[in-house]
Amino acid sequence: MESIRTASLIDTVKFNLLHIVPYFLRGIFTKNRFWSLLFDFVHPDPLAVKFCQALRAKYRSGYVYTYLIRNKSLLVFDDNGIKQVLDNSPSIYADPDLKRMGMSHFQPNALTISRGDEWSDRRQFNESVLESSHKVHENAEIFLNIIRLEIGTLLEGDCKRIGWEAFDRLFKRVTLQVIFGRSAKTDTELTDRLDRMMQESNRVFLLGKSKDFDAFYARIRAYFTKPEAGSLIARCSHAPSSPVTREENQVTHWMFAMMETLATNTLRALALIVAHPGIEEKVRIQLARYTELSAYDIGSLQYLRGCLQDAMRLWPTTALLARLMLADDQLAGVTVPAKTQVVILNSFLHRDSETQPFADRFAPEQWLETETNYHFNHLSNGRQVCAGKYLALFLGTAVLAEFLRKGRYKLLRPRLNPLRPLPHAFNEFRIRLERIPYY
Ligand code: HEM
């Protein structure tokens, strides 16, 4: 390729209206209920995906320059380019200013907004505590018991309807116990303070210090002084760390990712499973092999884990990955200059029916062969792959298994038709499941 072309003004405006404006209004760090309900209602069609396909055809390339509001950015649609970017993150492709500004509001020094030696130091710490390369965490049996007890309580009595509120509460309680221990399970002050800071950070600009910041971190530090056995916090003192690590900021990211993000993906996966009778049957046959599931068994429920991964692929909670180039680099044989912003658009790539035959259907089976595919970056890939990938998949799979073993469910709304292409938006706030318990 001789050079990378720049999208015309009209294409740039369309791109921003279809992708970037909804991305900001929906909420970058925590969902804005009003805007996400509105966009998902008026805009569940494939228009935004079709537009990117047309862009790629028009400029005859897997790389197109455009502007994200005012920032010149390179859209990377090409799989080799995506791999190049992610395998060289964050050394060449680092966190962009906007993400750093927004995230610093509640988790300054978090791994995901770190670079250079600081990133290496914090990555080592995260990988050690989260056991990033293990499908089943050393404390998994404890985590599984927490999930079992919490779901048992949730479904107690005559619980007939399940929706976002129940999942939100469930994942907050599970998160508090997995990270800080059982004694923290009702610490809503901690989760409320983080919720408020995340809502503020959605604004990104003109962010003063939050009035919740000091009280939130004082509480986190208090947990560090009396770590409960079996919690993630208790593992921190055994993990490699230095004054650069800033452990309390790493912990905040774990909360951030384990509450809303994991709850959303797991609820959508449950809705998808029960709306696809053939897939549900396969899952139930797999589950029926066990009278009692151990943590190890949860780790071997590959098909159910595939259901969760595919829910994440269909409606990626991280709609795009953005990077700022710290040095010049070659992409498709062309030099791309330092300071360029690079964008990997998950919301398009995951639904690109021109390159992915199963783009618009629920396809858990594709995750049986490999759990790493650079085309799908809902958990990212490469050096900065989600450090909590296997922990998140374990917790989500355990929740799904537990729910499915406790009854049958009917998706009341929003409707999903397994015989038609799946909608491009599926609003978790609207999900209602009817439960038919086993007696
Ligand atoms: C469904 C749940 C989750 C999803 C969809 C998710 C997704 C992601 C994505 C897309 C990234 C890359 C972001 C970027 O580079 O811009 C990431 C990074 C990260 N995630 Fe997750 N995540 C989830 C759960 C978790 C959990 C539960 C933890 C920890 C307990 C965690 C810890 C991390 C960390 C530490 C990073 C930064 C990695 C680095 O920069 O080296 N995530 N996650």
Side-chain angles (χ1 to χ4, degrees), residues 99 111-112 119 123 126 253 257 265 321 323 378 384 386:
K99 177 175 169 188
L111 177 65
T112 188
W119 177 80
R123 179 84 201 182
N126 271 272
H253 186 89
N265 285 297
L321 298 178
R323 295 284 191 272
H378 46 275
Q384 264 190 298
C386 172

Side-chain angles (χ1 to χ4, degrees), residues 312-348:
M312 295 187 193
R313 173 189 67 84
L314 284 162
W315 301 295
T317 36
T318 308
L320 59 86
L321 298 178
R323 295 284 191 272
L324 181 70
M325 290 179 67
L326 301 180
D328 294 359
D329 197 23
Q330 296 273 315
L331 284 169
V334 177
T335 303
V336 180
K339 297 200 178 134
T340 302
Q341 177 163 271
V342 172
V343 174
I344 298 170
L345 203 57
N346 291 344
S347 53
F348 161 56

